[in-house]
Amino acid sequence: MPKNKNRLLLVVIFAVAAGFIISSKINNVAKTSSNIQTETNNTSSPEVKKSPTTKQINNAQTDEDKLPDSPQSPSNYLEKIPECLDIQVSNTDSLKNISDKNNWMDKDPKNLIRQNLIYKKLNQEIRISVTPSQSSKTWMLQSFDVDKEGLPIVKNKILGLQYYQLAEKIKFESNGFNLDSDEQHIQVDSPNTSGSILYINDQPIEIKLFNKSNQRLLECQGTYCLCNQALSS
Amino acid sequence: MKALFISLLLLFSISSQAAVWDSQYTWDQRWEEQYSDWVRTSWNQYIFTDKDSPYFGIPTDCADAGYAMRAIFAFENSLPFAIVDPTKRGSKIPITNNIKRWDKLPAGVPRLKAFMAYLAGIVYTGTMAQDSVPVALTSEALIPGTIFVKPKVHSYQIKDWSPQGIPVTINSTTPYSVKDMHKYLSFPAYIPEDVKTFRDGYRRFKRPNELYKMDSTLPGFSLEQFIVSERLNFNSVDFNDFVIKRTQTTQETMEDKTRRLMFNICYSSYNRASVINESTNYFYKIQGQGRSCMNASEFDQYSTFSRDKRLKEYFVRLYKYIQRTKSFKGASFPLKAYALDIFVNDPSKYQRTRKQFLKFCTVPYDTGKILDVREVWQRLRFDLLVQNPNTTNDWRWGDYSTPFTTSCPTFEEIH
């Protein structure tokens, strides 16, 4: 009798499990199709107003639909920068070279908005964010483990660090791991231009510059770049 | 039995594929309008402290409250919630309501609360810019649900906009705790100033499908506020007057404005008292544990540098308003004498007695000790208030004219 009871229990459990799997699959399919549906609806949704930038995008001959899926070499967009602003950046420049060569780049550490560092060892990843306070007199260091979805798990948060303490703390938090990626936001300021450049591993990834004289925003992300009218009509 | 164990494990692993909440809809203009209506009618300063609120018990400081506003509406309406992962910009994997980390918790509010606590650990006012986009200074853009961000300093949620062109703001602040938020009929204490990177000012939250697009391509994107602010030499009075003219449908009377400015002074002073009480209690607590100084994190929680700067700003606004309004002295309305009295330095020339002033606004700051707002201003203008949390109520409120000194380390706030 106990054996039979166990078998019966097993049958019930498997039946429930199978039902669960099937229903979750159905749900997933339903969700995917509903997502496709809503995405499609979104494209024709009346709220997607033509932004004042549309004309500029066309003028710059950039067509979002034609963009390749994978990012291209930075040179593809960097060479377009001088069309809008007179700044000198080449795709072979490292961050240090650029900041050394260009007096428009503000090298004050207080203008380092936030620095994200990613360390890896085998399949394990840890992230460290360094954030200056408003006056940069003290710094905040946060460290994170990463879950299987690639999302951060809060590990440690240290406030009130002095600048000279940062290197030591970063070394401590990343003990035994190797630096995999280094993200920095650098603020840029010149008589004609202001903005910021996001570098990841010494490569400019995202550029937001504002031309003070004609009030245009130059914004580059990924593989293309354009000039926009700053004032909405 | 081994088979039974595996079966149970299988069942458990299947049921653990649960999001914080399931999103069935997609953000569009119709949902944005509903979100704005919801903020106007349902987002309030007691949402985390009212025992009848489903969100009772959620702790916040300033940035968390803004994110919570957007997330709670999304949660209630089965909409997606997504922000840029602030720890890895290149990854393009956003932090969303689909995280399955809290599947052991019951679905619904318990998971939402865990998600809120998680967000609080990774976001701060410095991350709000990448999750939002600057908007134009128009009544169509400055709607309920908009946020005002001063990165690394403070943030506000715009709950409503009065017919006179004044925003109704809600904001939370340090310490990170369960508390009433502040509701003001008042402009934020800051104006857009970041003409380099445009990370501050009035902004709307990005929809999930907008997170990795260029800001300038998004509907409603505008740099107008930065240009206006720079043209007005970053003068907050002029900037706010500009916004008032843009958004008002009714003129604010002199009496209305005076009442508004004085209410903000009273409310901020009163609020400081409760924060300082909390701080002093904590200070006694660590002393009881054998420590005489707060660490950096505690210092960040209980210092009042930003708060006192805002409090001073409220007084300065009233002062400037009186100075700039030529007809003020000739006008006649009940609060006028009180407003003028605040900035009279010689007590023998006061128009109102202390008793009258205390009836208008009492600030209880220590056992058996109270201040009226004239006294608060006198202490503020002579920099007698102490922002350092490593001391007691009397020092924090400027009972002593000697400069405050401490052997404890001091730190800066990061919000």
Side-chain angles (χ1 to χ4, degrees):
Chain A
M1 275 303 279
K3 250 187 182 180
N4 283 342
K5 260 191 180 174
N6 267 350
R7 273 184 195 157
L8 187 64
L9 191 59
L10 270 176
V11 169
V12 171
I13 286 166
F14 274 113
V16 172
F20 222 104
I21 292 167
I22 291 164
S23 86
S24 78
K25 294 252 180 205
I26 290 169
N27 272 344
N28 280 345
V29 171
K31 266 181 200 168
T32 317
S33 54
S34 104
N35 281 346
I36 293 166
Q37 186 64 44
T38 45
E39 281 298 320
T40 318
N41 286 345
N42 245 7
T43 357
S44 58
S45 175
E47 94 283 0
V48 184
K49 293 172 196 163
K50 277 193 174 180
S51 77
T53 62
T54 313
K55 198 177 171 189
Q56 294 296 332
I57 294 168
N58 291 338
N59 286 347
Q61 293 178 330
T62 54
D63 185 345
E64 218 173 330
D65 294 334
K66 289 178 188 168
L67 287 172
D69 290 332
S70 55
Q72 293 179 353
S73 149
S75 62
N76 288 349
Y77 63 88
L78 285 178
E79 65 192 13
K80 290 186 178 177
I81 290 174
E83 288 174 12
C84 295
L85 298 164
D86 184 23
I87 59 172
Q88 301 297 314
V89 181
S90 91
N91 63 318
T92 53
D93 271 335
S94 71
L95 181 60
K96 188 177 179 310
N97 284 342
I98 293 168
S99 61
D100 286 347
K101 273 197 317 193
N102 293 279
N103 58 10
W104 46 262
M105 180 173 282
D106 194 326
K107 280 166 275 189
D108 191 325
K110 78 168 183 288
N111 286 332
L112 195 154
I113 299 165
R114 182 187 178 104
Q115 183 168 356
N116 285 332
L117 302 155
I118 294 168
Y119 290 84
K120 282 186 177 169
K121 188 170 76 177
L122 298 172
N123 294 325
Q124 227 184 321
E125 181 177 321
I126 58 169
R127 296 176 192 170
I128 295 172
S129 294
V130 175
T131 311
S133 63
Q134 211 181 16
S135 69
S136 294
K137 283 182 184 163
T138 61
W139 299 65
M140 174 171 72
L141 185 148
Q142 285 176 285
S143 61
F144 307 87
D145 285 326
V146 179
D147 68 10
K148 59 185 176 188
E149 295 177 88
L151 296 169
I153 302 167
V154 179
K155 189 179 169 193
N156 199 5
K157 183 174 178 178
I158 312 168
L159 283 90
L161 290 171
Q162 301 295 309
Y163 189 65
Y164 71 88
Q165 296 174 303
L166 281 176
E168 188 194 334
K169 289 287 178 193
I170 290 169
K171 197 177 165 191
F172 178 79
E173 293 290 320
S174 63
N175 186 28
F177 283 68
N178 301 314
L179 182 63
D180 191 66
S181 170
D182 171 6
E183 169 193 319
Q184 293 187 57
H185 288 85
I186 301 295
Q187 286 195 3
V188 170
D189 199 14
S190 77
N192 302 320
T193 318
S194 68
S196 69
I197 303 180
L198 164 69
Y199 287 86
I200 296 180
N201 286 345
D202 239 13
Q203 292 290 333
I205 299 297
E206 181 186 276
I207 302 174
K208 286 183 184 177
L209 292 173
F210 182 64
N211 189 330
K212 291 175 181 172
S213 60
N214 61 8
Q215 296 176 353
R216 279 165 181 265
L217 178 75
L218 170 77
E219 192 179 13
C220 309
Q221 201 172 41
T223 54
Y224 61 104
C225 149
L226 73 162
C227 301
N228 290 317
Q229 281 222 308
L231 274 170
S232 57
S233 53
Chain B
M1 280 313 285
K2 194 178 174 185
L4 178 67
F5 175 71
I6 291 168
S7 308
L8 285 170
L9 199 69
L10 180 67
L11 255 185
F12 184 76
S13 66
I14 292 165
S15 62
S16 71
Q17 298 301 305
V20 183
W21 69 87
D22 287 323
S23 43
Q24 297 170 6
Y25 305 105
T26 305
W27 283 95
D28 59 16
Q29 188 56 28
R30 190 176 58 88
W31 278 116
E32 293 289 357
E33 284 162 15
Q34 288 194 33
Y35 162 68
S36 190
D37 282 346
W38 176 84
V39 170
R40 190 169 48 77
T41 55
S42 304
W43 183 248
N44 66 74
Q45 66 271 43
Y46 309 118
I47 195 163
F48 304 126
T49 51
D50 178 356
K51 286 187 178 162
D52 294 328
S53 163
Y55 312 110
F56 171 76
I58 295 179
T60 56
D61 64 13
C62 49
D64 316 331
Y67 283 107
M69 174 176 72
R70 185 76 170 176
I72 289 173
F73 178 80
F75 166 75
E76 287 189 356
N77 294 281
S78 302
L79 285 159
F81 173 84
I83 60 167
V84 173
D85 180 351
T87 66
K88 190 180 182 182
R89 270 290 289 278
S91 82
K92 301 210 170 172
I93 301 174
I95 288 168
T96 72
N97 59 297
N98 291 321
I99 295 184
K100 297 170 180 66
R101 202 173 285 179
W102 301 283
D103 39 18
K104 285 180 188 167
L105 293 173
V109 173
R111 265 185 223 164
L112 174 80
K113 286 184 175 178
F115 184 51
M116 293 287 94
Y118 171 65
L119 284 182
I122 56 173
V123 301
Y124 71 116
T125 51
T127 66
M128 295 183 103
Q130 64 196 15
D131 298 314
S132 60
V133 57
V135 295
L137 299 173
T138 62
S139 50
E140 293 78 26
L142 298 170
I143 52 176
T146 312
I147 51 173
F148 185 97
V149 181
K150 185 80 179 166
K152 290 188 256 176
V153 181
H154 201 40
S155 71
Y156 302 80
Q157 303 102 55
I158 306 296
K159 178 177 166 60
D160 207 350
W161 214 276
S162 78
Q164 290 81 14
I166 315 292
V168 179
T169 62
I170 300 253
N171 73 89
S172 181
T173 189
T174 51
Y176 173 69
S177 59
V178 179
K179 57 182 170 297
D180 291 347
M181 294 187 286
H182 309 307
K183 181 182 166 190
Y184 287 90
L185 174 64
S186 172
F187 281 95
Y190 314 93
I191 61 167
E193 288 177 312
D194 182 4
V195 292
K196 285 184 183 174
T197 58
F198 326 112
R199 286 168 190 264
D200 63 1
Y202 293 98
R203 316 175 71 88
R204 71 163 179 84
F205 275 111
K206 289 179 184 173
R207 300 175 195 173
N209 67 349
E210 294 176 335
L211 284 183
Y212 304 108
K213 290 182 180 169
M214 287 191 298
D215 287 359
S216 55
T217 64
L218 300 179
F221 167 84
S222 172
L223 294 179
E224 183 192 30
Q225 57 186 306
F226 305 103
I227 293 156
V228 169
S229 183
E230 191 170 28
R231 277 186 190 155
L232 296 171
N233 295 319
F234 305 108
N235 182 306
S236 63
V237 175
D238 291 344
F239 180 85
N240 290 336
D241 282 348
F242 180 92
V243 179
I244 287 172
K245 278 179 191 151
R246 275 286 188 87
T247 55
Q248 72 182 175
T249 52
T250 313
Q251 190 88 22
E252 187 179 37
T253 65
M254 191 184 291
E255 186 174 2
D256 287 343
K257 185 160 184 173
T258 307
R259 189 185 303 115
R260 171 167 64 83
L261 295 175
M262 290 193 64
F263 173 81
N264 287 339
I265 286 172
C266 176
Y267 188 67
S268 301
S269 305
Y270 188 83
N271 249 320
R272 186 183 192 271
S274 73
V275 168
I276 299 294
N277 277 340
E278 207 177 324
S279 171
T280 304
N281 288 339
Y282 190 80
F283 181 61
Y284 288 141
K285 189 180 160 189
I286 63 163
Q287 284 190 321
Q289 295 164 348
R291 283 196 291 145
S292 53
C293 299
M294 294 193 192
N295 64 29
S297 176
E298 292 160 343
F299 193 96
D300 181 68
Q301 294 278 300
Y302 293 109
S303 58
T304 50
F305 293 98
S306 302
R307 178 184 290 273
D308 287 359
K309 203 174 160 191
R310 288 200 294 275
L311 176 60
K312 195 168 187 175
E313 169 71 15
Y314 286 128
F315 279 99
V316 170
R317 276 188 206 180
L318 177 64
Y319 180 74
K320 281 185 182 171
Y321 176 63
I322 293 170
Q323 294 299 310
R324 287 167 65 138
T325 311
K326 286 176 186 166
S327 56
F328 194 91
K329 286 189 178 169
S332 172
F333 55 93
L335 269 178
K336 181 188 144 189
Y338 289 86
L340 288 170
D341 246 11
I342 292 176
F343 305 104
V344 171
N345 295 329
D346 179 0
S348 67
K349 291 181 179 162
Y350 283 160
Q351 295 182 57
R352 293 286 176 264
T353 62
R354 189 167 194 256
K355 197 177 170 186
Q356 284 174 314
F357 241 90
L358 289 173
K359 205 173 172 187
F360 161 68
C361 184
T362 305
V363 184
Y365 73 101
D366 206 352
T367 316
K369 291 180 177 178
I370 51 175
L371 293 170
D372 68 36
V373 290
R374 285 182 305 207
E375 292 157 339
V376 174
W377 169 242
Q378 291 302 324
R379 291 174 184 216
L380 254 177
R381 67 189 278 257
F382 290 113
D383 286 330
L384 296 177
L385 301 191
V386 173
Q387 292 76 38
N388 192 311
N390 289 306
T391 186
T392 48
N393 280 19
D394 46 0
W395 275 101
R396 297 292 296 268
W397 279 99
D399 272 1
Y400 311 106
S401 54
T402 48
F404 172 75
T405 54
T406 174
S407 54
C408 292
T410 56
F411 305 93
E412 277 184 285
E413 297 167 315
I414 298 180
H415 295 155

